[in-house]
Amino acid sequence: MSFTNMVINETVRLANIAPGIFRITLKDVQIKGYTIPAGWTFVVCPSSVHLDPNKYEDPLTFNPWRWKGEELHKGSKKFMAFGGGVRLCAGADLSKMQTAIFLHYLLTNYRWKVTNEGNVTRQPGLIFKKGLHIEISKNQGEKNTGNYCLR
Ligand code: HEM
């Protein structure tokens, strides 16, 4: 299932449901010429990291292959869709498993097409101002061709 996990990581890199991660500084922190005093609450914005062209080549392109050979199950300074460290999302493995099961059934049993893309914006999370309309139909007796096999 390594390719499926690459697809899932790429999906949450581009379309993260958590626009901010909160932390409190335990001591003064110097960063890029600024000081965050001890005891302050601050917000880390994962999308500013996930869409940084210095960290991801062509960051707006959906490219699961960029994860080949990368760590897929821990947070890092360049990937924090599920947070990181001791507060790493407690549901990360569960949500990845649910997503993999959903993708498996969607790809092997259904076909779909986007009928109205609406108005997609980032604020910084992904917002579909007019929704996203998708027409889904069940495979009409087609056998699984293998084109959508999950690996
Ligand atoms: C795609 C789905 C999900 C995403 C992107 C996500 C993302 C996150 C993020 C960014 C955090 C903050 C981590 C940090 O502060 O470093 C978090 C925390 C947490 N998440 Fe999730 N989450 C997801 C699904 C779930 C699910 C399904 C559950 C439970 C069944 C869950 C339970 C939790 C809990 C309990 C925490 C708090 C962990 C702590 O503070 O120690 N999450 N999640």
Side-chain angles (χ1 to χ4, degrees), residues 19-86:
I21 299 171
F22 290 87
R23 290 290 187 269
I24 295 174
T25 45
L26 298 177
K27 57 182 183 183
D28 287 3
V29 175
Q30 311 294 337
I31 183 162
K32 296 187 177 175
Y34 294 91
T35 303
I36 307 176
W40 276 34
T41 301
F42 65 98
V43 184
V44 177
C45 179
S47 56
S48 66
V49 175
H50 294 165
L51 303 180
D52 181 347
N54 295 314
K55 295 187 167 54
Y56 292 94
E57 190 182 332
D58 206 0
L60 293 176
T61 299
F62 181 81
N63 174 17
W65 292 107
R66 70 170 83 240
W67 292 96
K68 195 169 170 52
E70 298 278 337
E71 164 60 50
L72 292 172
H73 299 293
K74 288 184 190 157
S76 71
K77 284 185 178 170
K78 69 173 224 179
F79 180 65
M80 48 190 78
F82 293 99
V86 291

Side-chain angles (χ1 to χ4, degrees), residues 116-137:
N116 182 356
E117 282 195 19
N119 185 3
V120 187
T121 58
R122 289 183 184 276
Q123 303 181 331
L126 207 56
I127 307 282
F128 297 90
K129 285 190 171 169
K130 293 181 180 164
L132 175 70
H133 298 190
I134 301 171
E135 193 177 291
I136 299 179
S137 54

Side-chain angles (χ1 to χ4, degrees), residues 12 16-18 21 23 80-84 86-91 94-95:
V12 290
N16 198 347
I17 58 160
I21 299 171
R23 290 290 187 269
M80 48 190 78
F82 293 99
V86 291
R87 310 316 296 252
L88 184 76
C89 171
L94 173 67
S95 52

Side-chain angles (χ1 to χ4, degrees), residues 83-129:
V86 291
R87 310 316 296 252
L88 184 76
C89 171
D93 287 340
L94 173 67
S95 52
K96 285 181 186 179
M97 184 184 68
Q98 286 180 322
T99 308
I101 293 169
F102 169 80
L103 285 175
H104 172 78
Y105 281 99
L106 181 70
L107 296 175
T108 54
N109 293 306
Y110 298 91
R111 295 288 176 266
W112 69 93
K113 64 179 178 193
V114 175
T115 54
N116 182 356
E117 282 195 19
N119 185 3
V120 187
T121 58
R122 289 183 184 276
Q123 303 181 331
L126 207 56
I127 307 282
F128 297 90
K129 285 190 171 169

